[in-house]
Amino acid sequence: MRLCGCSNWQRVVIAAECLIETFCDPQEDFLSWRPDLERVMDYTMLGE
């Protein structure tokens, strides 16, 4: 990050974009788990 001259605020934005793209459902207009991740978490809680 320092090599590209990014400020602290840009680091927060980049981290949020990575989080949203990786874990959130792109079909929703709010923050929601991707359907496949939600199923995995449900199965994990059930002990499967």
Side-chain angles (χ1 to χ4, degrees), residues 15-26:
E17 288 175 350
C18 290
L19 172 75
I20 291 169
E21 291 174 9
T22 304
F23 297 106
C24 295
D25 188 351

Side-chain angles (χ1 to χ4, degrees), residues 7 24 33 35-36 45:
S7 68
C24 295
W33 291 109
D36 58 328
M45 289 182 190

